[in-house]
Amino acid sequence: MNQTDKNVIMITAGGVGARFGSSVPKQYVEINGRQVISYVIEACRQSRQADAVVVVAHPDYHNELRAAYGVEVVESGPELNVTKRNGLDYIGRHSACEKLVVVDAVRPAVESSVIDRFFALLDEYDAVACARKITDSLGRYGEWFVNREEYYTLSTPEGFRFPLIDRHFKAASPLTESIQQLPPASNVYLDFDAPYYDKLTYPEDLARVQWILSHRPIHAK
């Protein structure tokens, strides 16, 4: 990373995968002979808009990540928001970042074209996030009717004008998506058209993600 880098991708890879039940964090589990994180790093490197890619990971994996993928690494924290804050601080010190795209290391189907689109959208918007309408019936304790049209889900990738997210992001926040920490008046674009990038959470997710990756030429290497 250089002081002239303006478009930066941050890969969050600090999770321990407690729900996954593996001997290693799920981002280092192999699918089709490759670590999950390798698919994410590949997609980020294929971005035509990014100037730099930074991985925020547990120190136990820094040497492995550098040796296997030649990436720049930053120490993660005990919780996701601490991990993100560590990454933001590092990027702020080592670059001239204007636009930031945050990618999750356990969503291996992420596409470089969507990352590039998010960078482009940040010319107009303060932030961009993947959003999904809720298609199942939505329940609530003590009340049967909940209007699902009033709700949606959020996930990575997320994109930000760096000075804005850097100024407002708090490591101690209980909010789970970075975009939720922005001021209410922020000009936010919710992308309902981006593909849903399956997240590895439980062991049974492996077969589905493996099928997706096997049928995408971009990852057929």
Side-chain angles (χ1 to χ4, degrees), residues 80-117:
L80 179 58
N81 281 347
V82 180
T83 291
K84 290 179 178 179
R85 186 65 258 178
N86 288 355
L88 292 172
D89 290 343
Y90 181 88
I91 292 166
R93 291 194 305 268
H94 293 87
S95 74
C97 186
E98 296 177 357
K99 300 178 185 178
L100 174 74
V101 171
V102 181
V103 181
D104 193 333
V106 291
R107 295 183 189 270
V110 65
E111 298 172 272
S112 59
S113 60
V114 172
I115 293 172
D116 285 344
R117 186 165 84 243

Side-chain angles (χ1 to χ4, degrees), residues 5-165:
D5 293 334
K6 295 183 178 181
N7 290 358
V8 178
I9 300 174
M10 180 171 74
I11 302 174
T12 54
V16 297
R19 291 174 292 181
F20 197 72
S22 172
S23 59
V24 297
K26 53 196 172 185
Q27 59 267 35
Y28 304 110
V29 170
E30 291 194 357
I31 295 181
N32 298 334
R34 295 175 53 182
Q35 288 183 327
V36 167
I37 196 171
S38 74
Y39 294 97
V40 180
I41 291 172
E42 178 185 58
C44 292
R45 283 181 166 164
Q46 289 175 344
S47 166
R48 297 180 179 181
Q49 300 293 324
D51 298 317
V53 178
V54 176
V55 181
V56 192
H58 192 281
D60 288 352
Y61 295 92
H62 284 196
N63 289 339
E64 178 182 340
L65 288 166
R66 291 189 186 104
Y69 309 112
V71 291
E72 196 162 352
V73 291
V74 183
E75 184 172 347
S76 62
E79 298 174 350
L80 179 58
N81 281 347
V82 180
T83 291
K84 290 179 178 179
R85 186 65 258 178
N86 288 355
L88 292 172
D89 290 343
Y90 181 88
I91 292 166
R93 291 194 305 268
H94 293 87
S95 74
C97 186
E98 296 177 357
K99 300 178 185 178
L100 174 74
V101 171
V102 181
V103 181
D104 193 333
V106 291
R107 295 183 189 270
V110 65
E111 298 172 272
S112 59
S113 60
V114 172
I115 293 172
D116 285 344
R117 186 165 84 243
F118 278 24
F119 274 125
L121 284 165
L122 290 171
D123 286 335
E124 181 179 356
Y125 296 93
D126 293 327
V128 188
C130 288
R132 289 288 168 275
K133 294 185 182 297
I134 296 173
T135 56
D136 289 329
S137 296
L138 192 61
R140 179 179 178 182
Y141 294 108
E143 183 179 354
W144 280 120
F145 177 75
V146 180
N147 184 2
R148 67 187 180 193
E149 296 300 323
E150 297 178 355
Y151 299 89
Y152 54 85
T153 63
L154 290 167
S155 67
T156 58
E158 292 179 301
F160 305 94
R161 290 185 180 174
F162 182 78
L164 182 66
I165 189 64

